[in-house]
Amino acid sequence: MSANRSGKRILVLRYRFIGDTILTVPFLRNLRYAEPDAHIAWVVAPGSTDVVRDIPYVDEFIDWDPVTSFADCRGKHRTWADKYGFIQELRAQHFDKVYVLKRSFSSAVIAWLTGARARIGFNTEARGFLLTRRVPYRNDQHEVQNFLDVLRADGVPVLDDYLEAWLSDEEQAFAEQFFAANGIAAGEPVIGIHPFAANQSRAWHHDNFAEAANELQRRYGARIIVFGGRGDVELGQTLRERITPEPVLAVGTTSLRQTMAIIARCNVMLCNDSGIMHVTAALNTPLVALFGPQSPVKFGPWGKRCKVLYSAFPCSPCKQKFFEECSPSPRMKPQCMESISVQQVLDAVEQFEGVSSLERRA
């Protein structure tokens, strides 16, 4: 990240989940195009900065970490005194402009309390009076375009909209060592699966992932890598027992940055709707994404090498209050996820341009 710029001081508010964080990159890139001399600071959650490490469009990360039940947090800003101190730190920076990409009332309050004269954001949650420029929020377009609409409303030209992620030489070397340590030869086809989600009720059933993985190995002779976090270890072991030949596990043993480097070397990824799905799209790794309760129109993977499997039901998209809005299947999954068959997934991989490097077996 750069420093000592002499132009405007601009603050961007978009914090919490890693998926939302990576989807903010096109906004920041176009903002930097328009303001090459500005000091751009980005308020993010501490756990989300890793996914955009080495981003060249931002000069400063500012942690905002109140206690929340909706995402991982460390509670740095737990008390009212902590929150007051955070606002005082922002005010001391004398920002000229704040872009409020969060849609909550509280984020607009933070923008107003900074003292910045220009405050641009979505006209949601009756917070318009706290903003100097109010932008309509659309539910019928992708979140990337919603973010870019904030720039457009402020007269900033939007030149492109692609995702990006950055890997260091050390991280790429780690991936190479990981492959070698697990007996994956150079040029050997690799298919990654991320069968987990923050709420497993919205995930495709793990039996389906195991069946798909077994068939993909049979068809292509591909090695399977299972990705997941620390909370996914038990289910990861279950999948290891059900996939033959045994897959490589990267579940709870690799950092986010190391996981990204491994994903970048995969021929294809198969993911639930998750932050890892967005990371995969940003890395430009071919991707098949499985959607059910949430519409891919707003939060689907953003990229040219992405395929989405989605069955829209009359109740789609839902509020994800499982299972108040619909009856669960015998396997305790919503019917929209159960409607995605293993064959559909196999067909999607087969048709995907990214699988052209894999040799189909008889």
Side-chain angles (χ1 to χ4, degrees):
M1 290 187 286
S2 304
N4 301 319
R5 299 185 191 267
S6 59
K8 297 175 187 174
R9 297 187 62 79
I10 299 174
L11 182 66
V12 178
L13 295 174
R14 178 69 236 187
Y15 42 88
R16 279 299 164 218
F17 304 102
I18 64 170
D20 292 335
T21 301
I22 204 76
L23 294 180
T24 312
V25 169
F27 173 95
L28 293 160
R29 183 175 59 248
N30 282 275
L31 177 59
R32 176 57 74 196
Y33 290 159
E35 298 283 1
D37 298 322
H39 178 90
I40 299 175
W42 186 6
V43 172
V44 288
S48 295
T49 53
D50 273 356
V51 78
V52 286
R53 188 184 301 169
D54 297 328
I55 182 172
Y57 314 122
V58 175
D59 300 295
E60 178 185 8
F61 289 131
I62 301 175
D63 286 351
W64 173 232
D65 189 28
V67 176
T68 176
S69 60
F70 299 108
D72 292 337
C73 67
R74 302 167 191 175
K76 177 181 176 182
H77 300 108
R78 181 179 301 272
T79 68
W80 283 109
D82 296 333
K83 294 177 174 65
Y84 177 78
F86 171 76
I87 294 299
Q88 291 301 104
E89 291 173 10
L90 293 184
R91 291 183 68 86
Q93 294 223 35
H94 302 290
F95 289 107
D96 300 294
K97 180 182 291 188
V98 182
Y99 288 105
V100 193
L101 302 186
K102 285 282 287 182
R103 288 179 280 136
S104 63
F105 188 86
S106 61
S107 60
V109 171
I110 292 172
W112 180 70
L113 289 174
T114 66
R117 290 188 175 183
R119 302 177 301 278
I120 304 96
F122 299 116
N123 191 22
T124 53
E125 292 201 8
R127 66 184 196 163
F129 70 97
L130 295 166
L131 304 171
T132 58
R133 190 180 299 276
R134 294 172 286 279
V135 183
Y137 182 81
R138 293 177 52 179
N139 287 294
D140 62 344
Q141 69 176 5
H142 200 276
E143 198 74 341
V144 166
Q145 291 299 337
N146 277 320
F147 293 164
L148 294 175
D149 276 352
V150 175
L151 287 181
R152 296 180 182 108
D154 197 36
V156 176
V158 172
L159 304 182
D160 52 46
D161 63 4
Y162 60 91
L163 297 185
E164 289 180 276
W166 299 266
L167 294 171
S168 68
D169 291 341
E170 291 78 11
E171 289 157 354
Q172 294 180 66
F174 169 84
E176 185 173 346
Q177 294 163 8
F178 178 91
F179 274 44
N182 286 282
I184 302 175
E188 188 173 3
V190 177
I191 296 177
I193 64 173
H194 182 257
F196 310 107
N199 186 332
Q200 276 299 118
S201 293
R202 62 188 270 179
W204 205 41
H205 200 279
H206 59 268
D207 286 348
N208 293 346
F209 274 105
E211 184 180 345
N214 284 328
E215 181 60 19
L216 289 169
Q217 288 193 116
R218 188 193 70 79
R219 287 188 183 188
Y220 303 110
R223 296 292 300 276
I224 299 293
I225 301 180
V226 181
F227 295 93
R230 290 188 298 272
D232 305 319
V233 172
E234 184 176 350
L235 184 50
Q237 291 296 336
T238 298
L239 284 167
R240 169 180 269 175
E241 295 169 2
R242 296 185 181 183
I243 298 174
T244 305
E246 187 176 281
V248 175
L249 290 192
V251 182
T253 57
T254 54
S255 69
L256 175 60
R257 299 296 304 179
Q258 291 169 340
T259 296
M260 290 170 64
I262 299 169
I263 290 173
R265 294 174 64 94
C266 290
N267 294 85
V268 183
M269 277 285 290
L270 174 59
C271 295
N272 286 311
D273 171 17
S274 63
I276 289 296
M277 174 196 72
H278 294 298
V279 170
T280 301
L283 290 165
N284 203 32
T285 296
L287 166 67
V288 177
L290 310 177
F291 269 75
Q294 182 165 261
S295 168
V297 171
K298 278 181 62 177
F299 292 109
W302 187 254
K304 295 180 179 179
R305 308 182 80 188
C306 305
K307 287 185 178 293
V308 173
L309 295 180
Y310 174 62
S311 297
F313 278 53
C315 54
S316 303
C318 70
K319 296 178 181 178
Q320 300 187 57
K321 294 181 179 179
F322 307 107
F323 285 97
E324 298 175 19
E325 299 174 276
C326 65
S327 298
S329 74
R331 300 194 298 182
M332 295 303 295
K333 294 289 181 181
Q335 294 295 339
C336 53
M337 289 306 294
E338 292 284 41
S339 70
I340 301 173
S341 69
V342 172
Q343 189 59 52
Q344 284 178 286
V345 170
L346 297 174
D347 290 344
V349 173
E350 179 92 4
Q351 297 164 12
F352 204 174
E353 182 180 343
V355 85
S356 61
S357 60
L358 308 185
E359 184 178 353
R360 175 72 185 268
R361 293 181 171 184

